[in-house]
Amino acid sequence: MIIETRNAGETFSLGEEIGRAARPGQVYTLVGDLGVGKTVFTQGLAKGLGIREAVNSPTFTIVQVYEDGRLPFYHFDVYRIGDISEMDEVGFEDYVYGDGVCLIEWADLIEELLPESRTKIRIEKDLERGFDYRRITVEERGRVHADFGNR
Ligand code: ADP
Ligand code: MG
């Protein structure tokens, strides 16, 4: 699925819509250059999960946990990761294979740790179409909702 947005509000709204549909255990991976709108999308997704707390990029920690929404939300930003072993140290596997919702900004930096089942989101600019234009590609990989129906 490809969605085109013309301003930050539209990207936020897309995130919000996806957040409303999020299921326990779902993992979203976000890739795209600095300043493309990954955090804007994340803020929308958090709102869609019913989170009221302000969501920003976790600058000094790899993961920020939000518990006040419909499901626990684990927001990773791995931009500053030095070594992949840092993910073990924060307990990445417990988050990713848990029942909350995970979102990982800069997921391509930890490609080898990502689960097969996930929603891949790529955000790209196209300056020929304007400074605020974004092309957002959403791709479901694996059996994303596989174990939800039984709960
Ligand atoms: P990232 O997390 O990818 O580094 P941010 O979400 O922090 O990027 O910042 C994106 C910036 O781009 C914001 O200042 C936002 O207002 C601006 N922007 C302009 N157009 C869009 C758009 N269509 N979608 C998302 N953000 C946009
Ligand atoms: Mg960001």
Side-chain angles (χ1 to χ4, degrees), residues 116-140:
E116 177 63 22
S117 296
R118 63 187 195 264
T119 304
K120 293 178 71 172
I121 298 159
R122 170 179 299 279
I123 310 180
E124 294 160 297
K125 292 187 183 182
D126 181 349
L127 291 177
E128 281 178 16
R129 308 191 65 171
F131 192 67
D132 291 346
Y133 171 89
R134 303 289 190 271
R135 182 186 305 108
I136 304 175
T137 308
V138 181
E139 183 195 340
E140 304 286 346

Side-chain angles (χ1 to χ4, degrees), residues 5-8 11 32-41 57 105 131-134:
T5 68
R6 308 220 155 260
N7 54 59
T11 298
D33 295 339
L34 197 65
V36 83
K38 297 181 296 300
T39 298
V40 168
F41 176 91
S57 267
E105 291 192 47
F131 192 67
D132 291 346
Y133 171 89
R134 303 289 190 271

Side-chain angles (χ1 to χ4, degrees), residues 41-60:
F41 176 91
T42 304
Q43 288 163 339
L45 192 140
K47 179 158 184 236
L49 282 170
I51 291 159
R52 288 157 177 271
E53 241 181 288
V55 172
N56 289 297
S57 267
T59 314
F60 301 109

